[in-house]
Amino acid sequence: MDRVRAKLGGRKAAKSSAHHDDDRATPPEDSDSRRARDMGEGRSSDSAGSSSGGGRGGVMGLTQLWPDPAIESISKVETDVDVIAIHGLGGHPFKTWSEGEKLWLRDFLPYSASKTRIMTFGYNSAVAFSGSRSTIRDFAIQLLEDIKQVRRRDKESERKIIFICHSLGGIVFKQALIVAHEKEMRYRTIGDSVTGVVFLGTPHRGADIAYWTKLLAKFANVPLLGGIRKDLLGSLEPKSKELGTICAQFVERGMKLQIFSLYERHNLPGLGSLVVDDFSAILHLPNETPIPIDADHRSMCRYLTSSDRNYLTVANCIGELIDATSGPSTQSYVDVSVRNFLWFYLRAVDATAILERIPVHWGKSSRWFMEHPEFKSWTTPAGRQAIWLFGPPGSGKTVLLRSVIASLSARADDRETSVICKPIYFFFDDKDPSRRTSDTFVRSVLKQILEDTRTSHVFRYLEGFDFKTTATNENGLWKCLSAIVEKSRGIMFQLVIDAVDEVMRHSAGSPDNIIDRLQRLLALDPSGRLRLMISDRRPPSYEFSRVADVAPISIDNDDTKSSVQEWVEAQVRKSLEASKVAYSAGEPLEERIMDVSQSNFLYARLAWEQASAGVKTWSRQRVKEAIARLDTVSHDLIEVYCRLLKTIPATYKERAKIAFTVLRLCREGLTFEQLAFLEALHGEDFSRRTPTISEVRAKAADLRQYLSEACGYLVRASKDGMVNFTHVSVKDVFSANLEDVPKENRKILTDFSVSDQAGNAIMLDL
């Protein structure tokens, strides 16, 4: 490169001193450059401000800018990657990329990308978007044919290609990639060689015809667009359909690429608005990096000096794409560093071992969710950011998410696209110290990413982190994860998180909880690299819904109820069939289990265990006895209820004790307000004063939520608002003589009940 620089520098010295700037060298002006300088009247502009299109006296097809074929010594510079620039509507193959006398593709880029062959593609852009019979497809085919000819001539049919596209020139590129896939026999090697693209203000709105019509009208109404306007206005509708179809078809083809989408931040003078806003300029793909440019639509691709901030941004994008064509050069270092980080510092919980302990879903119980439109959208590149699955305890959220993870893992293994879909999961458990904090969560997430050979290369994005220190600091670990999400093109992280309510309960009062951290992660990721699936007992908060594109889905629905019904029928009928008893004999038992379980998977399983306890051979009489067992207190039923009581978090234990005591002793039903008043009087919050009406109402709302979450199988509210035990057997359990209760369950009942004397003292306050 020093030899090339010397050649260029010698030429520059012969030029007039009037053109001094901070650029280090300028190649000689060849015949193509002279043609570029001489074309058009005055100063040209691209897309939204041109006085001469690329085809009106312009240079058509591919023109090589570097290595300069007109200078023998430079023309022999070895290159291994092609960079091709495509101008937009009303643009020009040279002027689009020029400011003053500086054509940055020729004058600046070779210094940072000397191993690239740089070309610019010219086409009659005014005709392409007007009423002419020429179509965008025609110009895309012309582009492919020119590339094919150049590669055949130089016997370099498999060298990698990177595109730079301004404005609607990106549409020509998209169409070319679509055609390359359609006509594989002729253009397959070209399509396979394209590795990346830098879009500069290219609209990506899919098949929204109304949008394209409005956008083209915006272009047409810019005064500087000149002669294009008359041709354009009469053909907006058909051209809109064409543009929409191209963009819709490109998404699948573009998944294998590394994409930079640069979007303007300044209004265009004369228009008073952005030509292409950020929503339109970003594809929202996981293999895309969106970057704002401090310029308007016209100037975002023109730079007078090589120190221009916008030029440096574009040059860095091109440099990253070039580096990616040769693959990681520090793989051995990455492998060693990953191992050290994983095994010596990170010390994360084994997520796979936890997953294996979760029961497999019942039959078709997860099918409704897999076929849900929101789930399908969530798995696609441009789909939903987040799904929030909510429902009461025991409704099957955890088991359902296990099925989701299995499905996502199978899809990830079968995908043919170069975008890596990486399922990551974590199951919170308030009773397990290794699974109840956001610190243990982020350690597990990093471990799952870095131990996967498909994604371990993201370690390179953590350069500069002191891993020994970082691993002892939760904030440092979250910074690691943020860096990975922000920079990892080509990966869609599908993060499935179960029981967020349990970590939120454990971290109550923390100024920076896991939901806050996840919201910040989503804010770093406009391209959709991170997808969240969260399960909680409650629906998403207003704040989370405002920040994230979230789809709330209740698991407490008819599909789940049908699945519970099928499960109960299967258990009962399988047992009756083994004893050669008619199915009809078990129908009353099925109905009773469904009634006491409230169509809840956990409660249905516990009810079935209670009903079938000790039964080896079924008969009609045994069915009647099983139904009776669900209505009476026995050691088996006490065991069932104690297992439920153990699931109530310790932080709620005192509140539950008061509620259970009042409901056990009160002969009439109570409202939530009455129950909350008693709970408030005997709680720590109001030990020295009487609560106000507003405080009681707030307590009542909180109590209603708490009881439905933590005690749903034990307590329920009727339609008239009265609260009571779900069944008389619950009251009997709390009234049982503790001396008759097995020792292992005696302490559990003691923790949730008080003596009759203490209970009556509470009731006197009502």
Side-chain angles (χ1 to χ4, degrees):
M1 188 63 194
D2 291 336
R3 177 171 55 85
V4 174
R5 189 170 296 166
K7 288 283 187 182
L8 297 179
R11 285 285 191 171
K12 183 181 180 183
K15 285 197 169 189
S16 169
S17 60
H19 299 296
H20 284 307
D21 57 24
D22 65 347
D23 306 317
R24 289 167 289 180
T26 303
E29 187 178 47
D30 58 26
S31 58
D32 286 328
S33 300
R34 284 194 297 273
R35 276 186 289 168
R37 179 168 52 82
D38 295 337
M39 267 186 279
E41 295 180 4
R43 188 168 164 176
S44 67
S45 61
D46 183 34
S47 291
S50 172
S51 60
S52 62
R56 293 196 290 271
V59 180
M60 303 290 283
L62 282 177
T63 300
Q64 183 172 318
L65 300 176
W66 175 265
D68 193 332
I71 304 175
E72 183 177 355
S73 58
I74 296 179
S75 65
K76 294 180 180 179
V77 173
E78 294 183 2
T79 62
D80 49 26
V81 179
D82 285 339
V83 173
I84 300 175
I86 307 177
H87 62 79
L89 175 60
H92 189 279
F94 300 101
K95 296 179 182 180
T96 287
W97 317 104
S98 299
E99 185 67 21
E101 294 186 359
K102 297 301 180 181
L103 173 58
W104 65 268
L105 293 169
R106 178 199 64 201
D107 298 337
F108 307 156
L109 190 58
Y111 286 115
S112 57
S114 60
K115 290 292 186 180
T116 61
R117 178 170 57 187
I118 303 171
M119 295 175 279
T120 181
F121 178 67
Y123 63 101
N124 193 336
S125 58
V127 172
F129 298 99
S130 74
S132 168
R133 291 183 180 274
S134 296
T135 65
I136 300 170
R137 186 181 181 89
D138 295 334
F139 295 104
I141 292 174
Q142 178 190 336
L143 172 63
L144 293 171
E145 285 295 326
D146 284 5
I147 296 173
K148 186 176 180 67
Q149 181 180 354
V150 170
R151 289 155 72 92
R152 183 173 63 249
R153 181 183 65 216
D154 295 335
K155 298 180 180 179
E156 297 167 334
S157 62
E158 295 184 357
R159 62 190 285 152
K160 302 303 182 184
I161 308 174
I162 295 166
F163 282 87
I164 307 167
C165 307
H166 180 231
S167 190
L168 291 165
I171 309 299
V172 176
F173 161 73
K174 291 180 176 184
Q175 180 69 85
L177 203 63
I178 294 168
V179 172
H181 281 77
E182 292 175 353
K183 299 182 178 294
E184 290 190 351
M185 292 294 292
R186 185 162 184 80
Y187 304 122
R188 179 177 180 179
T189 58
I190 297 177
D192 291 342
S193 298
V194 180
T195 62
V197 58
V198 179
F199 289 116
L200 292 158
T202 294
H204 306 294
R205 186 61 76 88
D208 185 348
I209 305 304
Y211 164 77
W212 290 108
T213 301
K214 183 178 179 180
L215 179 69
L216 289 178
K218 183 186 294 186
F219 279 131
N221 284 309
V222 174
L224 294 178
L225 204 56
I228 296 178
R229 179 174 182 176
K230 293 180 181 178
D231 293 337
L232 183 62
L233 291 178
S235 60
L236 292 183
E237 186 173 349
K239 291 300 174 184
S240 298
K241 293 179 180 178
E242 183 180 3
L243 293 171
T245 300
I246 292 170
C247 286
Q249 292 177 346
F250 170 76
V251 173
E252 182 179 352
R253 279 85 172 176
M255 290 294 287
K256 72 167 189 170
L257 308 178
Q258 289 200 45
I259 299 172
F260 287 94
S261 292
L262 280 58
Y263 52 95
E264 66 222 50
R265 303 312 291 153
H266 290 188
N267 294 342
L268 186 71
L271 185 63
S273 67
L274 299 175
V275 176
V276 180
D277 59 27
D278 54 346
F279 181 74
S280 301
I282 299 174
L283 278 161
H284 303 280
L285 295 178
N287 52 321
E288 174 193 33
T289 299
I291 302 175
I293 286 287
D294 190 28
D296 60 38
H297 189 73
R298 174 189 175 279
S299 62
M300 67 188 306
C301 57
R302 305 164 184 270
Y303 324 109
L304 184 61
T305 69
S306 60
S307 61
D308 185 292
R309 287 185 59 186
N310 291 336
Y311 167 72
L312 292 175
T313 298
V314 174
N316 286 335
C317 294
I318 297 170
E320 281 198 44
L321 295 180
I322 293 171
D323 291 342
T325 61
S326 58
S329 58
T330 58
Q331 189 61 49
S332 60
Y333 164 76
V334 169
D335 290 343
V336 172
S337 299
V338 166
R339 283 199 300 273
N340 288 340
F341 188 45
L342 283 174
W343 307 119
F344 294 103
Y345 303 139
L346 201 55
R347 302 184 183 279
V349 66
D350 187 348
T352 304
I354 294 171
L355 183 68
E356 290 173 349
R357 296 202 298 267
I358 298 171
V360 179
H361 68 282
W362 155 253
K364 304 174 182 178
S365 62
S366 64
R367 178 177 294 180
W368 70 269
F369 187 77
M370 304 295 186
E371 295 177 350
H372 198 289
E374 295 293 3
F375 175 75
K376 292 181 177 179
S377 171
W378 184 83
T379 60
T380 60
R384 285 274 197 178
Q385 279 184 303
I387 288 178
W388 192 290
L389 184 69
F390 65 95
S395 53
K397 299 186 298 295
T398 299
V399 176
L400 175 60
L401 290 188
R402 188 193 196 284
S403 302
V404 169
I405 292 165
S407 175
L408 293 176
S409 299
R411 295 184 187 197
D413 293 337
D414 293 341
R415 276 186 177 271
E416 297 181 357
T417 175
S418 62
V419 173
I420 299 169
C421 292
K422 173 58 183 171
I424 307 167
Y425 49 88
F426 194 83
F427 292 81
F428 282 109
D429 187 342
D430 189 30
K431 299 179 292 299
D432 185 345
S434 67
R435 295 165 53 197
R436 67 184 184 192
T437 66
S438 60
D439 178 79
T440 56
F441 164 81
V442 71
R443 290 176 185 276
S444 178
V445 169
L446 287 171
K447 179 175 184 288
Q448 292 177 65
I449 294 172
L450 297 177
E451 70 182 358
D452 190 331
T453 56
R454 300 177 306 154
T455 55
S456 61
H457 65 276
V458 304
F459 189 85
R460 75 179 80 172
Y461 303 129
L462 304 182
E463 183 178 354
F465 282 88
D466 179 352
F467 296 120
K468 187 174 182 180
T469 303
T470 298
T472 62
N473 184 308
E474 181 185 354
N475 288 332
L477 293 171
W478 279 96
K479 288 179 180 178
C480 285
L481 182 57
S482 298
I484 289 172
V485 169
E486 187 175 9
K487 299 177 181 179
S488 297
R489 290 179 300 281
I491 304 175
M492 182 192 293
F493 298 108
Q494 299 170 322
L495 186 49
V496 179
I497 313 171
D498 181 53
V500 166
D501 50 287
E502 302 211 12
V503 66
M504 293 293 285
R505 184 164 54 240
H506 180 77
S507 59
S510 172
D512 202 13
N513 59 52
I514 189 171
I515 294 298
D516 295 331
R517 294 184 183 275
L518 290 174
Q519 287 178 179
R520 287 198 291 272
L521 271 184
L522 287 174
L524 289 173
D525 176 44
S527 295
R529 297 189 192 107
L530 179 66
R531 299 299 167 87
L532 295 181
M533 184 175 297
I534 293 173
S535 84
D536 196 329
R537 295 180 179 184
R538 291 169 291 186
S541 66
Y542 168 77
E543 180 63 23
F544 187 82
S545 299
R546 187 180 65 84
V547 173
D549 179 21
V550 59
I553 301 177
S554 171
I555 196 172
D556 189 15
N557 54 39
D558 291 340
D559 292 299
T560 299
K561 292 176 182 177
S562 297
S563 296
V564 175
Q565 178 76 50
E566 291 175 6
W567 183 86
V568 171
E569 290 178 356
Q571 307 311 308
V572 173
R573 296 181 185 188
K574 180 172 61 176
S575 299
L576 295 179
E577 185 177 26
S579 301
K580 298 182 179 179
V581 178
Y583 292 158
S584 58
E587 290 177 358
L589 178 58
E590 294 170 7
E591 292 176 3
R592 186 69 189 119
I593 292 175
M594 288 298 295
D595 180 53
V596 300
S597 71
Q598 306 168 61
S599 300
N600 181 291
F601 265 115
L602 172 63
Y603 305 160
R605 180 170 61 82
L606 294 175
W608 168 245
E609 290 177 3
Q610 167 65 13
S612 61
V615 179
K616 295 182 179 180
T617 303
W618 286 90
S619 64
R620 292 182 179 274
Q621 180 58 33
R622 290 292 172 87
V623 170
K624 294 179 180 179
E625 293 171 358
I627 295 174
R629 272 194 295 276
L630 292 176
D631 297 333
T632 58
V633 177
S634 66
H635 290 320
D636 291 332
L637 187 58
I638 290 175
E639 171 68 24
V640 171
Y641 285 131
C642 284
R643 286 166 64 184
L644 287 170
L645 290 171
K646 287 170 65 176
T647 67
I648 297 177
T651 52
Y652 288 160
K653 188 178 296 184
E654 195 60 33
R655 301 180 67 186
K657 179 189 292 188
I658 296 174
F660 295 157
T661 299
V662 172
L663 293 176
R664 174 172 67 87
L665 297 174
C666 189
R667 294 184 178 182
E668 299 178 357
L670 296 175
T671 65
F672 275 112
E673 284 75 13
Q674 292 171 318
L675 196 59
F677 178 73
L678 290 174
E679 193 258 327
L681 285 178
H682 293 273
E684 296 181 0
D685 295 343
F686 302 101
S687 57
R688 296 183 179 180
R689 66 177 179 87
T690 301
T692 65
I693 295 298
S694 60
E695 288 172 334
V696 169
R697 288 175 177 170
K699 277 275 187 180
D702 185 51
L703 186 66
R704 179 189 295 270
Q705 184 68 48
Y706 153 68
L707 288 176
S708 65
E709 287 182 4
C711 313
Y713 187 46
L714 304 170
V715 177
R716 76 170 77 174
S718 60
K719 293 181 179 180
D720 60 3
M722 307 305 288
V723 190
N724 215 321
F725 288 122
T726 56
H727 193 265
V728 67
S729 59
V730 183
K731 180 180 290 190
D732 293 340
V733 166
F734 285 115
S735 303
N737 187 344
L738 294 181
E739 294 181 359
D740 297 333
V741 176
K743 185 177 180 180
E744 58 271 20
N745 290 327
R746 195 176 302 164
K747 183 178 184 310
I748 298 174
L749 289 177
T750 301
D751 288 341
F752 288 95
S753 59
V754 300
S755 65
D756 287 351
Q757 182 178 358
N760 287 326
I762 293 175
M763 293 298 297
L764 287 175
D765 293 322
L766 184 62

